[in-house]
Structure formats: structure tokens, C-alpha cells
Amino acid sequence: MNNIQIIIDYISNYGLIFLFIIIFLEYLNFPGLGAAVVMPAAGIAISKFNINLILAIAISIVAGELASYILFAISYWFGKPILTKVYNKFPRSRKPIDKAFHYIENYGYKGILIARIIPVARTLIPFVAGIFRMNLLKYSIYSVIGVTIWNTALIYAGYAFGSYFI
């Protein structure tokens, strides 16, 4: 059974609760399926089981933002020591993390929006924003816009092409 079919089966059994959990975990950077598989597969399932598309997208945005707030809070209080350990233990992670730093250093809050629609950077940006101790309200505004664009595009892609996979 392929990854897309697994997601479709779980959504058929558990509905929007599974959608919330899988997107929440994806935004927390848990290893496993990436957004490019998870969200279009969710869109296919939403189409197949006649789930409200707008509600599903809204749930995905809430899941993504809640996970982002957790990363933001962790990095706000413990970010620099964690970052040092990550750099030392996983030297290959330095380049994508530094890229996320670049977005905020060069574009400020707009960098959050930009990073939210770029693979890899989009899930690192809450951690970096916390290290910068950015204003949570301003962070939230730009983050929600970026998450909305990303999640809507991927979920709708699966939804629109869902009839081809059913």
C-alpha cells in the first residue's frame, strides 16, 4: 500500500481528527511523510469522502499554527543552546537553518511569509523567529498568511485531482 493510500484510509476512518494530527506533527518537523505527500493525499481523501474543503483547510491551518507556536516558544526560551547542539550533532542541518535566519535578517516579518511557502524553510522559521524573539502577534499574522497559502495550495491540488485517484 502506498503512502497516499494510507493517508486516505486513515482519513476515511478518523476524519478531520487525523488530518489535524498528521499536519500538526508535520509542522513540528516529525520525521515521516512530508507536506508534499500528506496534504495532497488529504485533499484526495477530502474529495473522495465529501468532507467540507474549507473546514479541512481551516483545520490544517490551525494545526500548523499550533505546532509553530510550540516551536516558537521552545526556541524563544531555549533556542540558542538547542541550536548549538543541533549544529554540533547534525552539521548538515546548518545550511537550511542558516537559510531561515537569512529570511528574517533580510526581510524581517515578511521573511516569515516568504519562508512559509518554501519547502524546508517553512518548518524551520518558527524556531528561528523564536530565537530572534519576534513579536508574537506580528509573527502570527505573517505566519498565518504563509501557512494558509501553502496548505490551501497543496490540499486543493489533491482535492482538484482527487477524481483521478479515486
Side-chain angles (χ1 to χ4, degrees), residues 100-145:
F101 272 102
H102 168 79
Y103 288 117
I104 291 178
E105 288 170 342
N106 290 334
Y107 304 106
Y109 288 96
K110 291 177 187 168
I112 294 165
L113 173 65
I114 295 165
R116 280 301 196 183
I117 56 177
I118 297 174
V120 181
R122 69 182 193 78
T123 56
L124 296 173
I125 207 68
F127 188 80
V128 173
I131 290 174
F132 273 94
R133 295 182 171 250
M134 298 183 98
N135 175 284
L136 186 59
L137 178 60
K138 288 181 182 178
Y139 163 80
S140 297
I141 292 167
Y142 287 95
S143 181
V144 167
I145 294 168

Side-chain angles (χ1 to χ4, degrees), residues 38 42 47 57 59 84-85 97-98 102 109 116 135 142 159:
V38 170
S47 172
I57 290 171
I59 287 171
T84 301
K85 286 182 182 184
I97 293 170
D98 287 350
H102 168 79
Y109 288 96
R116 280 301 196 183
N135 175 284
Y142 287 95
Y159 182 85

